[in-house]
Amino acid sequence: MVERIFLSSPHMSEEGYEKKFVQEAFDTNWIAPLGENVNKFETELSSIVGSKDAAALSAGTASIHLALKAVGVEEGDIVFCPSLTFSATANPIIYQNAIPVFIDSDEHTWNMSPEALKKAFEKFPNVKAVLVVHLYGLAANMDEIVSICKAYNVPIIEDAAESLGTTIRGKHTGTFGDFGVYSFNGNKIITTSGGGMVVSNREDAKEKIAKIRFWATQSREPARHYEHKEIGFNYRMSNVAAGIGRGQLRVLNDRIKKKQYIYNYYKNELKDLEGLTFMPVHEWENSNCWLTCIQLSGKIRPIDIILALEAENIESRPIWKPMHMQPFFEAYDYIDHGSVAEKLFENGVCLPSDTKMVNDELERICKIIKGLWV
Ligand SMILES: *Cc1c(COP(=O)(O)O)cnc(C)c1O
């Protein structure tokens, strides 16, 4: 059996940077808690994306949770959230006992529709926060979204879990809002085996990020005994995981280049197939192309491609199933704007986008897909 090709799997540096930083943690016995790798991972990531401060946490999901808390989302508050996303975007709204209102997508970006967002503000002017996602490494329309949210004076949290490195005219996704969140889960563009980061560029970024670190370490007050005035969480990143992260940051640009190469390879090979179109990558953004996704409008359906690849031990997936269609979330409000999220889901496939793939493998995948059209 040929080796399995994955959608997106961990890819450590050929140079062994990760091992060096993890070894340092062992040598100094700073396995846990915290330590130099955590501090340096925060400052190094901050300087790459251009944020004032950053807190390294145990997961992207935990990072979204504490970012919501940092903008004051509490029980009964409304939070706008795109419907087309992974459930990890929406779950932390529920952790805070707040209420998600799901927003339809824009077909030009696949992300939150500014028109649907305007409708949502008219219906729920008392909304507490807006969660924006940059899906598959595609940037949301931040020009419009930021200006709408500014007009209503409502804070923005960017779920940039999938878009580390994606920029809009040179500015990193995750740095447009009050808080930005990255994920280092095993399938993301770089990984720490599991982890997340909250960044901020607010005036009070230092204070707010310090508060997030405090909540993430059980809200321990500075006292000799264990004193707690607030609810705490065990959400900090370990010094070992941060060592892997520091190594991975050194190859982030290589990973972005390879993801973009994969996107362009598929595009060149498959662009003439009838009814097949590619996810929109615009010239105003530099997308990290985390996953290459396509839409199908002809007689070949997503399941045909998924099954044909699966038969050859190659992993591909449907597009995220929208939150308003999920049994757990279907009772919440949904601002529809042409059912774009549903159409993207029904017609979409994520193609294998693993950065370890070689040209022979890409060629094999394209041959299987083209074979469905003959
Ligand atoms: C992966 C992901 C998350 C969650 O990150 P974890 O580190 O796995 O908790 C959140 N949102 C989106 C869009 C993601 O893809």
Side-chain angles (χ1 to χ4, degrees):
M1 192 77 176
V2 287
E3 223 177 297
R4 184 162 175 81
I5 299 176
F6 291 99
L7 200 62
S8 184
S9 70
H11 186 176
M12 294 299 115
S13 67
E14 278 71 30
E15 297 85 348
Y17 299 129
E18 299 85 356
K19 278 190 198 152
K20 179 180 146 272
F21 291 120
V22 171
Q23 187 63 47
E24 273 173 27
F26 274 78
D27 291 345
T28 55
N29 202 34
W30 276 112
I31 302 303
L34 305 173
E36 170 160 287
N37 281 334
V38 174
N39 301 336
K40 293 226 165 120
F41 188 34
E42 290 175 347
T43 52
E44 287 165 3
L45 183 126
S46 264
S47 81
I48 288 172
V49 301
S51 67
K52 286 187 182 140
D53 207 351
L57 304 186
S58 55
T61 312
S63 307
I64 295 168
H65 186 187
L66 294 191
L68 286 168
K69 211 170 141 58
V71 296
V73 170
E74 286 173 12
E75 183 162 0
D77 287 337
I78 290 170
V79 178
F80 295 159
C81 170
S83 183
L84 188 72
T85 187
F86 180 40
S87 65
T89 311
N91 285 334
I93 302 170
I94 307 294
Y95 302 166
Q96 280 303 94
N97 296 309
I99 303 161
V101 170
F102 295 111
I103 313 282
D104 203 356
S105 304
D106 176 349
E107 62 184 346
H108 302 296
T109 63
W110 291 21
N111 288 305
M112 183 180 272
S113 154
E115 281 71 35
L117 177 63
K118 278 184 211 157
K119 276 204 253 177
F121 268 112
E122 280 157 27
K123 205 165 170 199
F124 303 98
N126 59 336
V127 58
K128 194 70 183 248
V130 176
L131 243 172
V132 181
V133 183
H134 304 286
L135 219 56
Y136 300 119
L138 301 171
N141 184 344
M142 293 313 285
D143 288 350
E144 293 240 10
I145 292 169
V146 168
S147 98
I148 296 165
C149 292
K150 272 222 173 98
Y152 285 89
N153 200 19
V154 170
I156 298 173
I157 297 167
E158 291 174 83
D159 176 351
E162 302 178 359
S163 71
L164 176 60
T166 295
T167 56
I168 300 174
R169 295 182 297 274
K171 188 174 164 69
H172 279 259
T173 52
T175 65
F176 287 80
D178 288 69
F179 294 95
V181 167
Y182 303 106
S183 164
F184 313 108
N185 188 33
N187 62 353
K188 298 304 194 295
I189 191 155
I190 62 167
T191 182
T192 60
S193 79
M197 190 87 79
V198 190
V199 300
S200 182
N201 263 332
R202 288 164 58 116
E203 284 293 308
D204 59 356
K206 287 263 178 249
E207 258 164 75
K208 288 283 183 189
I209 293 290
K211 190 76 190 202
I212 284 173
R213 293 194 192 104
F214 169 80
W215 288 328
T217 41
Q218 308 287 19
S219 295
R220 266 185 73 186
E221 295 293 334
R224 189 180 300 281
H225 61 276
Y226 286 84
E227 178 78 11
H228 305 279
K229 295 180 184 159
E230 290 182 64
I231 184 83
F233 302 86
N234 183 5
Y235 276 176
R236 245 344 208 147
M237 182 180 279
S238 87
N239 202 42
V240 174
I244 303 174
R246 290 183 72 195
Q248 288 269 279
L249 279 185
R250 278 146 183 81
V251 290
L252 174 61
N253 277 334
D254 298 339
R255 298 294 175 267
I256 295 170
K257 280 195 198 113
K258 183 62 185 271
K259 294 278 193 190
Q260 292 172 338
Y261 174 86
I262 292 167
Y263 172 83
N264 287 317
Y265 191 104
Y266 283 131
K267 206 164 178 182
N268 282 331
E269 288 293 319
L270 307 176
K271 66 177 184 307
D272 296 330
L273 295 176
E274 205 185 314
L276 186 156
T277 50
F278 280 80
M279 64 183 193
V281 176
H282 302 98
E283 76 280 2
W284 49 262
E285 67 183 313
N286 184 32
S287 171
N288 75 2
C289 295
W290 173 57
L291 296 185
T292 294
C293 302
I294 54 170
Q295 286 286 300
L296 298 165
S297 61
K299 66 180 195 300
I300 304 296
R301 302 305 303 147
I303 191 67
D304 300 323
I305 291 185
I306 291 168
L307 291 178
L309 292 173
E310 194 54 46
E312 301 287 331
N313 202 20
I314 300 166
E315 185 186 19
S316 63
R317 289 274 176 94
I319 298 278
W320 300 120
K321 182 178 175 183
M323 291 303 112
H324 75 276
M325 299 168 75
Q326 300 285 357
F328 182 81
F329 289 111
E330 67 191 5
Y332 293 97
D333 279 293
Y334 170 55
I335 308 295
D336 191 355
H337 192 73
S339 302
V340 174
E342 283 176 38
K343 285 179 209 154
L344 290 171
F345 165 61
E346 275 154 21
N347 299 322
V349 185
C350 309
L351 296 177
S353 305
D354 199 282
T355 49
K356 294 189 299 308
M357 282 193 296
V358 295
N359 278 353
D360 281 354
E361 291 171 314
L362 282 165
E363 196 184 317
R364 196 150 63 81
I365 294 164
C366 291
K367 211 170 141 200
I368 295 165
I369 294 172
K370 284 184 200 162
L372 291 166
W373 263 261
V374 294

